[in-house]
Amino acid sequence: MAIALAEILDHRQVALQLRSRRRPNVIREVVSLFEKTGSVARPADFLAQVLSREEASSTLSENGVAFPHARTELVDQIALAIGRSRAGVPWNGEGKRARLIFLLAVPQRLMNDYLVLLGTLGRVTRDQQQRDALFAAATPVEFIAIRREAGSF
C-alpha cells in the first residue's frame, strides 16, 4: 500500500522562512528539521548523503522547486521536510533559484512509494494556483491544512 503525503507531513518539519542563501546551507537547514521529530538517525550523515546526491545531479525542477533526497539506511520510513524561501536560493550552475524545497529521506526498500510521492509533489508544484497557495500560508500548520483542504496532500 502506497504511503500518502498526509501520513508523513508534520508541521515541525516545515520551515517557511529559510535563512540560508546558499544551496548547501539551505539543505543543512532543512535537514535540521528532522532533528525536531527524530525522523532521521544521524542527521549529519544524512546531510552528507543528500549533498553528495545533489552534487551528482541537481534536483531543481521547473518553477523554482527542488527535491533533494537520499535513499538511505538512516530511516525506517519515508520522511519529508519542507523549506520555503521567498527570494529563492541559487540552486544550480545556471543560477536558477529554488523557492520551495521538498527534502525526502527514503529507505532503500520503499523506492516505489518514493516515486509515487515524488509524482504527487511534482503535480502539486507544477500548478501555479497550488504554488501560490503554498506561498500564502503564514504558518507550517496552515501550509499543511491548505494542502489537505485542496485534496492535494
Side-chain angles (χ1 to χ4, degrees):
M1 180 177 204
I3 296 170
L5 278 172
E7 295 173 19
I8 62 172
L9 287 172
D10 185 317
H11 68 90
R12 296 172 293 172
Q13 292 176 185
V14 177
L16 299 181
Q17 295 179 335
L18 293 173
R19 294 182 191 103
S20 302
R21 297 292 173 238
R22 295 181 53 220
R23 182 179 67 182
N25 296 341
V26 164
I27 293 173
R28 181 175 293 109
E29 189 174 342
V30 178
V31 166
S32 74
L33 297 171
F34 288 132
E35 294 173 10
K36 296 177 180 181
T37 59
S39 301
V40 175
R42 301 189 323 269
D45 292 343
F46 178 68
L47 172 63
Q49 292 174 355
V50 174
L51 290 173
S52 176
R53 164 65 185 82
E54 194 65 36
E55 283 300 316
S57 178
S58 174
T59 59
L60 182 66
S61 68
E62 58 189 44
N63 302 314
V65 181
F67 300 99
H69 62 279
R71 293 176 58 199
T72 182
E73 74 286 350
L74 300 172
V75 292
D76 294 326
Q77 59 187 355
I78 293 176
L80 172 66
I82 302 168
R84 181 177 76 186
S85 170
R86 292 206 182 272
V89 177
W91 203 263
N92 61 20
E94 300 169 12
K96 293 186 179 178
R97 294 180 170 269
R99 297 178 65 212
L100 289 171
I101 295 94
F102 294 88
L103 176 69
L104 286 158
V106 183
Q108 296 285 349
R109 73 186 192 309
L110 294 180
M111 190 59 181
N112 288 338
D113 288 339
Y114 160 72
L115 293 173
V116 169
L117 288 172
L118 191 59
T120 300
L121 287 169
R123 281 189 301 281
V124 167
T125 58
R126 270 192 297 273
D127 181 88
Q128 181 68 46
Q129 188 175 11
Q130 297 283 342
R131 285 192 317 279
D132 289 348
L134 294 173
F135 277 101
T139 67
V141 171
E142 184 181 336
F143 183 95
I144 292 170
I146 288 169
R147 300 296 14 110
R148 285 187 176 147
E149 290 170 11
S152 299
F153 285 3

